[in-house]
Amino acid sequence: MSLLLSRLTMRPTFAFCALLVVVFLAAIAPASIAADSQKIVGVFASIDPAHVKVDGEIGRRIDLTIHKNLLAIDVDSHFLAPFRRKQSRLFDYIGLGKLIDASVSFAYYSRDPKVIALKDHLVNELIATQLADGYIGTFPEGARLRDVFDEHEIAYNIHALVDDYRRFHNQASLVAARKLADYLITNYKTATATRDPKLICKIDLERAMIALSEATADTRYQDYILNRDGLRNWHSPIDVVNDGQYSSGDGHAYTFMNNCLAQLDLYGQQPDASLLGQSHRVIDYLTKDDGLVITGTCSVTERFRNNQETRGDIGESCATAYFIRMLHHLLQLEGDTLDGDLMERAIYNSLFAAQSPDGRQLRYYTAIDGPRKYHPADTYCCPGNWRRIVAELPEMIYYRSAEGGLLVNLYTASTADVPLAGDLSVGLRQQTDYPNSGKVVLTVDPTRPAEFPLKLRIPRWCPSATVSVNGQPAGGPAKPGDWYSIKRVWKSGDVVTLDMPMKPRLVRGRKLQAGKVAVMRGPLVFCLSPSRQAAKYSVYAGHGANAEEVQRTAVEAIANTKFDWTTLSGPVPDPTIRPDGVALQVRAWGPTSDRTKPADLTLSLSEFIDPTGQATYLPADPKLGVDDELHVH
């Protein structure tokens, strides 16, 4: 039975439970969590990010993005100036709404005065550009709403303004959002002749209008967009084209998953199993039809592909961001550990590899094999969506459960203060160096002794996890791909220890990668960097070769290297990419080595986030490998 059908068979019971959960969470939510009212609520509910402090690698990435990217941008010249001038031409796109939305989330989470000041500056200056008729944008009169990107920009500006109102109760933002939405509704029909409605112009518009209706209690905005675009009845199949041709809007990964999220928004208001079908279709396609690549993302040249291509324009950052966001919402609705496993793979590999080690540069695509490049500007869609999803990561670590308990989804050093019910709140402190090792120590501090379940996600990559409480075995076995639930009367200072042994493994490639393997350890993918191996391969470049020739020779030599996979070992410290980074090692024979003798090279495999990495799939006997645990047979 397909994953899609197996999920849908659960829906009649779940729809009733979801309604009970909504009532339950409404009763226990404190005033400080009112800003989360637009979030989908189901089996689990995310924690207000203002109650979470993230450290570890995820926290480091959040801080790096705030201080080395967000606060380093020349927002006036590159983002605000085009809105003041209103002189854009065809296909001009800035992405100011995405930047503001990320700033709102970062400001709300961090409470950093500099980030709050930047957010306020962006919001105030955006509102100052609004015309009397309500228009906010970059196009001159006569060209508005005729370019695909004008409506796209409008959608994200509405959404950002609504989020500023939700998080910071800024009435001016809500007023401006309503005026902009009214402008769109009034003028849309007279400006549609030159636009293809299947293009990306309407990305996020449904979600923005739904959010605006919730914030204003005015259903006119939601009704308008639903009647216009037919979102409730959208059931199109995924258009997969593997020959590089342009596919329809239903093959554009970012667009498709955005529409899935909009349907999930509607499901949160009124559970209807048909609104879950498209999200299930995506998960089914990715995990059963080879749509997911090893680094946890999807798409080639922005479009769904299932041939396992790894070179070129792989894993658009917008698609990666929306995939993670969709998984976050599905996890809340259904509580499936597969969503958490997929989320973890995407975050630690594709998402983080799209940022330079110093935090300043971002990628549009991140090739798995072959050279990678950074996007040349701070503007446009992918940098904005990358910042937005990183700003949302604090919401994906801990969740509240419908049964009055807590859930740990992502493993990273962090703390959380979680209100549960009445006078009961629980402090959580997670101590771990994950993903370097799989040992997690969780301290539970309830304000009073209380019985509730604590659930831990046991990743599919770990078949031998163990759990103890206060030094004693917690109970039954920890099954990979399941939640480990501990229900007891918790007292302040109780300690839960989760130990997930991490061994390097070879993951068999499929389709275009048949006959090769990818090297993994825990959730991390590893790769070979030609520049890091250049000295070892320099003998093949010849005497007197310059650096460029040595680099080129190393690329060619890696393709003709035979690896002795029985020698795969590690991890060893590698602080060159991240402060606590690790590497693996393997012995190998070079292109002209005598293969009747022991392997003569020791090669270092760096984490996939290595910006110089160019070889992820490497030749190996398939019998040595294991199937990808996220590939459902």
Side-chain angles (χ1 to χ4, degrees), residues 284-547:
D284 204 39
Y285 155 75
L286 293 173
T287 59
K288 296 188 66 177
D289 194 24
D290 294 312
L292 185 78
V293 293
I294 191 67
T295 54
T297 188
C298 59
S299 83
V300 181
T301 60
E302 302 185 8
R303 296 167 183 88
F304 285 120
R305 301 284 188 267
N306 62 358
N307 59 0
Q308 291 290 291
E309 178 60 76
T310 59
R311 293 184 174 272
D313 296 339
I314 307 299
E316 181 201 18
S317 290
C318 288
T320 301
Y322 269 72
F323 180 42
I324 294 169
R325 187 175 289 115
M326 185 181 72
L327 293 168
H328 169 56
H329 287 281
L330 282 173
L331 180 63
Q332 291 180 79
L333 278 174
E334 302 177 305
D336 191 336
T337 61
L338 178 61
D339 298 322
D341 286 358
L342 289 165
M343 188 188 301
E344 174 183 78
R345 177 82 67 88
I347 290 169
Y348 280 115
N349 297 286
S350 268
L351 184 68
F352 290 167
Q355 183 182 41
S356 62
D358 65 2
R360 185 64 187 90
Q361 294 178 284
L362 301 173
R363 301 187 195 279
Y364 199 113
Y365 302 107
T366 304
I368 296 173
D369 290 305
R372 308 172 190 173
K373 59 183 179 181
Y374 293 108
H375 187 64
D378 291 317
T379 56
Y380 218 60
C381 58
C382 281
N385 272 327
W386 195 94
R387 295 181 196 102
R388 290 178 70 223
I389 197 63
V390 170
E392 294 169 24
L393 292 180
E395 299 179 59
M396 303 179 190
I397 299 170
Y398 304 104
Y399 298 78
R400 301 189 307 272
S401 68
E403 53 192 322
L406 297 170
L407 168 82
V408 183
N409 175 48
L410 295 179
Y411 298 111
T412 187
S414 54
T415 59
D417 181 15
V418 187
L420 282 186
D423 64 341
L424 176 63
S425 64
V426 179
L428 295 174
R429 183 171 80 255
Q430 190 179 160
Q431 296 170 285
T432 180
D433 65 349
Y434 196 90
N436 292 9
S437 78
K439 185 173 182 179
V440 179
V441 177
L442 190 71
T443 303
V444 184
D445 283 314
T447 51
R448 57 173 172 79
E451 183 180 49
F452 57 85
L454 174 69
K455 295 178 182 289
L456 310 175
R457 179 179 58 84
I458 308 301
R460 283 164 171 76
W461 57 258
C462 184
S464 55
T466 58
V467 183
S468 63
V469 179
N470 297 330
Q472 300 299 316
K479 300 177 181 179
D482 202 354
W483 299 109
Y484 192 91
S485 184
I486 310 169
K487 188 172 184 179
R488 68 194 303 270
V489 176
W490 296 94
K491 299 177 182 179
S492 182
D494 282 343
V495 175
V496 177
T497 302
L498 169 63
D499 195 357
M500 298 173 284
M502 287 185 178
K503 295 180 180 180
R505 64 192 187 278
L506 304 179
V507 179
R508 281 189 286 263
R510 307 185 301 278
K511 292 188 176 178
L512 289 179
Q513 308 312 319
K516 300 178 182 179
V517 295
V519 181
M520 295 194 68
R521 181 177 176 272
L524 296 183
V525 178
F526 289 79
C527 64
L528 266 178
S529 161
S531 63
R532 287 176 176 239
Q533 319 303 324
K536 299 170 184 177
Y537 283 113
S538 60
V539 62
Y540 303 109
H543 180 71
N546 60 34

